Amino acid sequence: RHQAVSDMPFYALTADVKEAHRAIAIDPLDWPLQACQVEPGGDIYCKKRGTDGVASAAYWWGRLGAALHRAILYTWSNQVHGWAFLFADDWLWTSTGRDFCENLVSAILLLRVFRVPLSWKKIKGGRVVPWIGYEINLRECTLGISENRALWLTSWLEKRLKENRVLL
């Protein structure tokens, strides 16, 4: 008997781009705009890649990330039953059906073809995955904050209560 796609379980895969801002090469004509000198007459330091904290780095990574995201969706075409999300430099892909594993791994493969530097220790997969501080449970169809985020929040609140103040 054939199982309807809607009756099949969903699986997820998450990935994080390692130093996404550095994935952007800066045009040599713009290198002087990113140069700095610590002391007069001293060495001049020049950044040739995107720099964290500079507004244009987020802008250019956003454009590159969106293009990569669209490339993944185009390769999936209408063949994949799933979802793809990109928040800053963190991906979440879900898939179901017989080929769910190939579908999810194909996203990673495409990113590697384009030499996107991934943080391998942050790649997670399964029916319960952490993503941008949340825990996505596809088994029970629930969403909540991850245990690590809950511990951080509890610790932060306890410190604020102990100090009896919050710096706004």
Side-chain angles (χ1 to χ4, degrees):
R1 118 179 153 76
H2 293 299
Q3 195 175 17
V5 171
S6 61
D7 296 335
M8 294 181 187
F10 268 85
Y11 293 89
L13 184 65
T14 63
D16 177 77
V17 178
K18 186 176 183 179
E19 297 182 332
H21 61 281
R22 296 198 39 77
I24 307 299
I26 305 300
D27 186 319
L29 294 174
D30 292 332
W31 289 355
L33 301 173
Q34 294 199 149
C36 70
Q37 190 174 42
V38 177
E39 54 190 48
D43 290 337
I44 296 175
Y45 300 94
C46 181
K47 296 291 282 184
K48 299 176 182 179
R49 314 273 319 156
T51 304
D52 193 23
V54 175
S56 61
Y59 170 78
W60 288 110
W61 165 253
R63 294 190 57 131
L64 177 59
L68 292 166
H69 190 71
R70 284 191 302 276
I72 291 167
L73 294 175
Y74 290 145
T75 61
W76 280 8
S77 184
N78 293 328
Q79 306 303 312
V80 176
H81 301 285
W83 296 90
F85 301 94
L86 174 61
F87 180 81
D89 62 352
D90 295 295
W91 264 285
L92 167 67
W93 302 286
T94 65
S95 183
T96 190
R98 276 191 326 267
D99 300 327
F100 79 89
C101 189
E102 290 86 349
N103 298 337
L104 296 175
V105 172
S106 71
I108 296 286
L109 179 61
L110 185 74
L111 292 178
R112 292 308 300 145
V113 165
F114 286 115
R115 295 184 171 182
V116 175
L118 299 174
S119 176
W120 293 104
K121 66 182 180 185
K122 292 184 179 179
I123 293 178
K124 306 288 183 213
R127 301 213 42 218
V128 179
V129 293
W131 186 58
I132 62 170
Y134 294 99
E135 181 176 274
I136 299 169
N137 187 328
L138 298 172
R139 189 180 305 121
E140 299 173 10
C141 294
T142 59
L143 171 69
I145 62 173
S146 65
E147 185 177 350
N148 283 344
R149 181 64 55 101
L151 291 172
W152 173 86
L153 182 58
T154 303
S155 171
W156 186 86
L157 289 171
E158 287 172 352
K159 287 178 185 175
R160 301 299 78 83
L161 289 170
K162 191 175 185 180
E163 294 173 359
N164 200 27
R165 67 186 179 100
V166 175
L167 179 61
L168 299 177

